[in-house]
Amino acid sequence: LGVALRRRLLGAHRAGAPPALQVLEALLAPIDSRVLATLLALGIPDLLDGPVELDELATRTGTDPERLGRVVRYAAGRGLLRVDRKGRVRPTRVTATLRTDAPAPWHAWVRFATSEWYDAAWGALDAGLTADSSPPFDRAHGEDFFTHLTVHPERGAVFDRAMAAGATLQAVGLARTLDWEGIGSVCDVGVGTGATLEVLQRYHPHLDVTLFDVPDVVARARWSARPRSPGARRVVGGSFFEEVPGGHDRFLLLAIVHDWDDERATALLATVRDAMGPHAAAVVVENVLADRPRDEFAAASDLLMFVLASGRERTHGQYEGLFAGAGLRIDRRHRLPTGATAFVLRR
């Protein structure tokens, strides 16, 4: 409800703005990302444990108070922090989310999405629109996105942390929304370094969990083999286009299907289907596109998938067809608090 209301309010705002103002707002939108990057570069979220005088904040960040104040004013207007009536800089819930000690590392998303190598991919968007062209990221860097992360492990590490932030958020929704009674084991397929499974075991300690991804990724698994719960933990490296570890009650595919075009996504889902026993289920979590164009996160994510990896977001009908092509059917679907949809699939 909150997501839908926000979308309607933003739509009303845009509809009421003159065309020239709409153009200017679109052109100035990148300021938000640069201000976020600057706040993190200066370590400001970590410095705001409470109200701080602007002069003190400037001293602690090695900046000029007047110039910093202009950045702070803009950031406050966008809700990234707050300035009280005494002129002191205070944290907001957004500021807390950006701290390096926050439960989910959203600061890593900012570092990823404001990096030069990320920007370079968007610079090749127009050149990547012909039918025979490679993805914009490939054109910008001469190699595909996932190879690039392996060749540049420091960038891969930033991406891992960014994905962990999103996985943590979605996993809380899964833990609270789906019925886990009678579920003994879960395999997390291709979702990084273990953030999803950490959350699930925190809410449902009885679960035995297996983290499955390519060897380079699971080598960076963020949890040890000895969890603080009765459930076991296992790490397995491999390719989900070849084989997925079997014997689990549930297989989680959290924001992984959208990384691939229809052919590769079908192959991935078919491999999971082959690993599923007669009573097992696969849970695919994705942001579903509306049938008609509208201002929504899924539409932005769709372009992001295209630019980075030739992936795509899909409508409900497209997902239904994709699942059927892999020998799977939708048993149930759940709308998560994040706005994403969890499809529960059976053979």
Side-chain angles (χ1 to χ4, degrees), residues 123-182:
L125 175 60
D126 57 340
L129 294 179
T130 59
D132 59 347
S133 64
S134 55
F137 189 94
D138 298 27
R139 296 179 68 90
H141 295 285
E143 58 194 357
D144 70 80
F145 179 69
F146 295 108
T147 298
H148 187 82
L149 298 182
T150 301
V151 173
H152 301 275
E154 73 288 352
R155 297 178 180 181
V158 171
F159 181 72
D160 284 348
R161 290 193 293 274
M163 294 304 99
T168 299
L169 187 64
Q170 299 286 22
V172 171
L174 283 173
R176 293 177 172 177
T177 304
L178 271 63
D179 181 7
W180 294 93
E181 185 176 353

Side-chain angles (χ1 to χ4, degrees), residues 21-32:
L21 181 57
Q22 293 184 52
V23 171
L24 284 174
E25 287 180 340
L27 290 173
L28 296 177
I31 292 176
D32 284 9

Side-chain angles (χ1 to χ4, degrees), residues 103-113 117-118 145-146 149 155-171 188 190-199 213 217 220 222 254-256 258-259 286 297 301 304-305 308 313:
W106 285 102
H107 61 90
W109 248 111
V110 177
R111 299 186 194 283
F112 165 59
W117 54 281
Y118 174 93
F145 179 69
F146 295 108
L149 298 182
R155 297 178 180 181
V158 171
F159 181 72
D160 284 348
R161 290 193 293 274
M163 294 304 99
T168 299
L169 187 64
Q170 299 286 22
D188 188 356
V191 195
T193 55
T196 306
L197 298 179
E198 278 189 318
V199 172
D213 209 323
V217 172
R220 302 191 294 271
R222 53 183 272 158
L254 202 162
I256 187 70
H258 74 174
D259 286 344
E286 296 289 355
F297 176 78
S301 181
L304 176 60
M305 293 304 103
L308 294 183
E313 304 293 1

Side-chain angles (χ1 to χ4, degrees), residues 38-48 57 61 68 72 81 89 95:
T38 299
L39 294 178
L40 290 187
L42 296 175
I44 287 177
D46 287 344
L47 294 174
L48 294 180
L57 192 60
T61 57
L68 178 63
V72 165
L81 43 76
V89 185
T95 318

